[in-house]
Protein backbone atom coordinates (compact mmCIF):
# COMPACT_ATOMS: atom_id res chain seq x y z
CA UNK A 1 0.00 0.00 0.00
CA UNK A 2 1.37 3.37 -1.08
CA UNK A 3 2.42 5.92 1.53
CA UNK A 4 2.57 9.65 0.82
CA UNK A 5 4.50 12.27 2.77
CA UNK A 6 2.90 15.72 2.39
CA UNK A 7 5.16 18.61 3.36
CA UNK A 8 4.45 22.26 3.88
CA UNK A 9 7.11 24.37 2.16
CA UNK A 10 7.86 27.52 4.18
CA UNK A 11 8.87 26.58 7.69
CA UNK A 12 9.31 22.87 6.89
CA UNK A 13 11.51 22.51 3.81
CA UNK A 14 12.57 26.13 3.37
CA UNK A 15 13.52 28.97 5.71
CA UNK A 16 12.05 31.89 3.79
CA UNK A 17 11.35 34.49 6.47
CA UNK A 18 14.17 36.72 5.18
CA UNK A 19 12.65 36.80 1.69
CA UNK A 20 9.20 37.43 3.14
CA UNK A 21 10.50 40.44 5.03
CA UNK A 22 12.23 41.94 1.99
CA UNK A 23 9.14 41.55 -0.20
CA UNK A 24 6.78 42.77 2.54
CA UNK A 25 8.97 45.80 3.24
CA UNK A 26 9.02 46.72 -0.46
CA UNK A 27 5.27 46.21 -0.78
CA UNK A 28 4.62 48.44 2.22
CA UNK A 29 6.88 51.18 0.90
CA UNK A 30 5.23 51.02 -2.53
CA UNK A 31 1.72 51.21 -1.12
CA UNK A 32 2.21 53.59 1.81
CA UNK A 33 5.52 55.34 1.20
CA UNK A 34 6.77 54.53 4.68
CA UNK A 35 10.16 52.91 5.40
CA UNK A 36 10.25 49.84 7.61
CA UNK A 37 13.75 48.49 6.97
CA UNK A 38 14.60 48.33 10.68
CA UNK A 39 11.70 46.04 11.63
CA UNK A 40 13.11 42.66 10.64
CA UNK A 41 13.55 41.44 14.24
CA UNK A 42 9.91 42.03 15.28
CA UNK A 43 8.77 40.80 11.85
CA UNK A 44 10.53 37.50 12.48
CA UNK A 45 8.90 37.25 15.90
CA UNK A 46 5.49 37.64 14.30
CA UNK A 47 6.05 35.25 11.37
CA UNK A 48 4.22 32.41 13.15
CA UNK A 49 0.94 34.33 12.87
CA UNK A 50 1.04 34.46 9.07
CA UNK A 51 -0.68 32.09 6.65
CA UNK A 52 -0.72 34.16 3.44
CA UNK A 53 0.93 37.27 2.00
CA UNK A 54 -1.72 39.72 3.08
CA UNK A 55 -1.05 38.90 6.73
CA UNK A 56 2.41 40.46 6.44
CA UNK A 57 0.74 43.88 6.34
CA UNK A 58 -0.61 43.26 9.82
CA UNK A 59 2.75 42.05 11.12
CA UNK A 60 4.50 45.16 9.83
CA UNK A 61 1.87 47.44 11.34
CA UNK A 62 2.06 45.67 14.70
CA UNK A 63 5.85 45.93 14.58
CA UNK A 64 5.69 49.64 13.78
CA UNK A 65 3.32 50.25 16.68
CA UNK A 66 5.64 48.48 19.12
CA UNK A 67 9.07 47.59 17.64
CA UNK A 68 10.22 46.03 20.92
CA UNK A 69 7.02 44.08 21.45
CA UNK A 70 7.05 40.30 21.65
CA UNK A 71 4.79 39.08 18.86
CA UNK A 72 5.52 35.48 19.83
CA UNK A 73 2.92 35.97 22.57
CA UNK A 74 0.38 37.90 20.49
CA UNK A 75 -3.16 36.57 20.71
CA UNK A 76 -4.27 34.46 17.75
CA UNK A 77 -7.82 35.60 18.41
CA UNK A 78 -6.81 39.25 18.20
CA UNK A 79 -4.89 38.56 15.02
CA UNK A 80 -7.92 36.84 13.49
CA UNK A 81 -9.98 39.94 14.31
CA UNK A 82 -7.40 42.15 12.62
CA UNK A 83 -7.61 39.94 9.54
CA UNK A 84 -11.36 40.52 9.41
CA UNK A 85 -11.19 44.25 10.16
CA UNK A 86 -8.51 44.89 7.53
CA UNK A 87 -9.53 42.36 4.91
CA UNK A 88 -9.47 44.85 2.01
CA UNK A 89 -6.07 46.42 2.81
CA UNK A 90 -4.67 42.91 3.29
CA UNK A 91 -6.03 41.87 -0.11
CA UNK A 92 -4.39 44.87 -1.76
CA UNK A 93 -1.16 44.20 0.08
CA UNK A 94 -1.16 40.55 -0.96
CA UNK A 95 -1.49 41.55 -4.62
CA UNK A 96 1.52 43.87 -4.35
CA UNK A 97 3.52 41.37 -2.30
CA UNK A 98 3.10 38.50 -4.76
CA UNK A 99 3.74 40.75 -7.77
CA UNK A 100 7.03 41.90 -6.23
CA UNK A 101 8.00 38.31 -5.43
CA UNK A 102 7.34 37.22 -9.00
CA UNK A 103 9.29 40.17 -10.42
CA UNK A 104 12.30 39.55 -8.16
CA UNK A 105 12.19 35.79 -8.80
CA UNK A 106 12.02 36.14 -12.57
CA UNK A 107 14.29 39.15 -13.10
CA UNK A 108 16.75 38.99 -10.18
CA UNK A 109 17.06 35.28 -9.43
CA UNK A 110 20.40 35.34 -7.59
CA UNK A 111 19.23 38.17 -5.36
CA UNK A 112 15.91 36.46 -4.65
CA UNK A 113 17.50 33.13 -3.75
CA UNK A 114 20.00 34.86 -1.46
CA UNK A 115 17.20 35.91 0.91
CA UNK A 116 16.25 32.30 1.77
CA UNK A 117 17.60 28.79 2.10
CA UNK A 118 16.48 25.21 2.79
CA UNK A 119 16.76 23.65 6.24
CA UNK A 120 19.91 21.55 5.73
CA UNK A 121 19.26 19.10 8.57
CA UNK A 122 15.84 18.32 7.18
CA UNK A 123 17.15 17.79 3.64
CA UNK A 124 19.83 15.46 4.96
CA UNK A 125 17.04 13.15 6.11
CA UNK A 126 15.23 13.02 2.75
CA UNK A 127 16.96 9.76 1.68
CA UNK A 128 15.63 8.02 4.81
CA UNK A 129 12.20 9.60 4.36
CA UNK A 130 12.11 8.26 0.80
CA UNK A 131 12.56 4.78 2.23
CA UNK A 132 9.47 5.31 4.38
CA UNK A 133 7.21 6.94 1.78
CA UNK A 134 6.70 5.98 -1.83
CA UNK A 135 5.79 9.56 -2.76
CA UNK A 136 6.59 13.00 -1.37
CA UNK A 137 4.44 16.02 -2.24
CA UNK A 138 4.38 19.66 -1.21
CA UNK A 139 1.22 21.36 0.12
CA UNK A 140 1.81 25.09 0.40
CA UNK A 141 0.12 28.48 0.35
CA UNK A 142 3.10 29.66 -1.73
CA UNK A 143 2.62 29.82 -5.48
CA UNK A 144 3.64 26.56 -7.11
CA UNK A 145 6.17 28.12 -9.49
CA UNK A 146 8.21 29.73 -6.70
CA UNK A 147 8.22 26.52 -4.70
CA UNK A 148 9.16 24.47 -7.78
CA UNK A 149 12.11 26.70 -8.70
CA UNK A 150 13.46 26.71 -5.16
CA UNK A 151 13.16 22.94 -4.91
CA UNK A 152 14.99 22.58 -8.21
CA UNK A 153 17.81 24.76 -6.87
CA UNK A 154 18.30 22.10 -4.17
CA UNK A 155 18.03 19.21 -6.62
CA UNK A 156 14.49 18.29 -5.57
CA UNK A 157 11.40 17.68 -7.68
CA UNK A 158 8.10 16.98 -5.90
CA UNK A 159 4.47 17.36 -7.03
CA UNK A 160 3.27 20.71 -5.69
CA UNK A 161 -0.22 21.62 -4.49
CA UNK A 162 0.00 25.39 -4.15
CA UNK A 163 -2.07 28.47 -3.44
CA UNK A 164 -3.54 28.31 -6.95
CA UNK A 165 -5.37 25.14 -5.95
CA UNK A 166 -6.53 26.19 -2.47
CA UNK A 167 -5.36 27.99 0.66
CA UNK A 168 -7.04 25.40 2.87
CA UNK A 169 -4.64 22.54 3.56
CA UNK A 170 -7.54 20.14 3.99
CA UNK A 171 -8.59 20.82 0.41
CA UNK A 172 -5.02 20.36 -0.74
CA UNK A 173 -4.80 16.98 0.99
CA UNK A 174 -8.05 15.94 -0.69
CA UNK A 175 -6.46 16.76 -4.04
CA UNK A 176 -3.35 14.79 -3.07
CA UNK A 177 -5.45 11.73 -2.28
CA UNK A 178 -7.38 11.99 -5.53
CA UNK A 179 -4.34 12.49 -7.75
CA UNK A 180 -2.07 10.05 -5.95
CA UNK A 181 -4.74 7.36 -5.70
CA UNK A 182 -4.56 6.96 -1.92
CA UNK A 183 -6.82 7.21 1.11
CA UNK A 184 -6.14 9.95 3.68
CA UNK A 185 -4.94 7.31 6.17
CA UNK A 186 -2.05 6.63 3.79
CA UNK A 187 -0.88 10.26 4.03
CA UNK A 188 1.26 11.89 6.70
CA UNK A 189 1.22 15.70 6.66
CA UNK A 190 3.86 17.97 8.26
CA UNK A 191 3.30 21.70 8.76
CA UNK A 192 4.70 24.28 11.13
CA UNK A 193 1.34 26.02 11.72
CA UNK A 194 -1.13 24.40 14.09
CA UNK A 195 -4.20 25.78 12.31
CA UNK A 196 -3.11 24.02 9.11
CA UNK A 197 -2.96 20.71 10.97
CA UNK A 198 -6.46 21.42 12.26
CA UNK A 199 -7.65 21.80 8.66
CA UNK A 200 -6.20 18.42 7.69
CA UNK A 201 -7.00 16.28 10.75
CA UNK A 202 -10.71 15.73 9.88
CA UNK A 203 -9.62 13.98 6.67
CA UNK A 204 -8.03 11.16 8.64
CA UNK A 205 -4.49 11.88 7.47
CA UNK A 206 -1.70 11.67 10.03
CA UNK A 207 -0.40 15.08 11.12
CA UNK A 208 2.78 16.37 12.72
CA UNK A 209 3.99 19.82 13.75
CA UNK A 210 7.46 20.86 12.55
CA UNK A 211 9.02 22.25 15.70
CA UNK A 212 11.84 23.85 13.68
CA UNK A 213 9.46 26.08 11.70
CA UNK A 214 7.54 29.27 12.40
CA UNK A 215 5.79 28.46 15.64
CA UNK A 216 6.19 29.16 19.34
CA UNK A 217 6.67 27.14 22.52
CA UNK A 218 3.02 27.78 23.40
CA UNK A 219 1.88 26.51 19.98
CA UNK A 220 4.01 23.39 20.34
CA UNK A 221 2.49 22.77 23.76
CA UNK A 222 -1.01 23.19 22.31
CA UNK A 223 -0.14 20.76 19.53
CA UNK A 224 0.94 18.16 22.06
CA UNK A 225 -2.25 18.69 24.06
CA UNK A 226 -4.29 18.26 20.88
CA UNK A 227 -2.62 14.91 20.21
CA UNK A 228 -0.37 15.92 17.33
CA UNK A 229 3.15 14.60 16.99
CA UNK A 230 5.65 17.43 17.54
CA UNK A 231 8.64 16.61 15.37
CA UNK A 232 12.25 17.64 15.93
CA UNK A 233 14.34 18.40 12.85
CA UNK A 234 17.22 16.24 14.08
CA UNK A 235 15.07 13.14 14.46
CA UNK A 236 12.13 13.60 12.10
CA UNK A 237 12.88 10.48 10.00
CA UNK A 238 13.36 8.27 13.05
CA UNK A 239 10.24 9.65 14.71
CA UNK A 240 8.14 9.13 11.59
CA UNK A 241 9.34 5.57 11.32
CA UNK A 242 7.97 4.98 14.81
CA UNK A 243 4.68 6.76 14.08
CA UNK A 244 3.84 5.08 10.81
CA UNK A 245 2.68 1.82 12.32
CA UNK A 246 0.00 3.70 14.26
CA UNK A 247 -0.99 6.50 11.87
CA UNK A 248 -0.43 5.02 8.39
CA UNK A 249 -1.12 1.52 7.16
CA UNK A 250 1.95 -0.60 6.52
CA UNK A 251 2.70 -1.41 2.88
CA UNK A 252 1.15 -4.71 1.90
Amino acid sequence: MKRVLALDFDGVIWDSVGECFVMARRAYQNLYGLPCADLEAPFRRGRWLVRTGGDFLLILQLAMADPAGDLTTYSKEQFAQLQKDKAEPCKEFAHEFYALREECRDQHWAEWVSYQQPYPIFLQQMPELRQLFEETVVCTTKDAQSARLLLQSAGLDFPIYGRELALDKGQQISAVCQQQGVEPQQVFFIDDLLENLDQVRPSGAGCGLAAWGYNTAAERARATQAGYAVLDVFSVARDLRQLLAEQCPSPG
Side-chain angles (χ1 to χ4, degrees), residues 141-163:
T141 57
K142 201 183 205 74
D143 66 281
Q145 179 68 352
S146 292
R148 182 175 295 108
L149 290 172
L150 290 170
L151 287 171
Q152 289 175 353
S153 74
L156 300 171
D157 183 17
F158 302 137
I160 298 170
Y161 300 79
R163 64 177 294 105

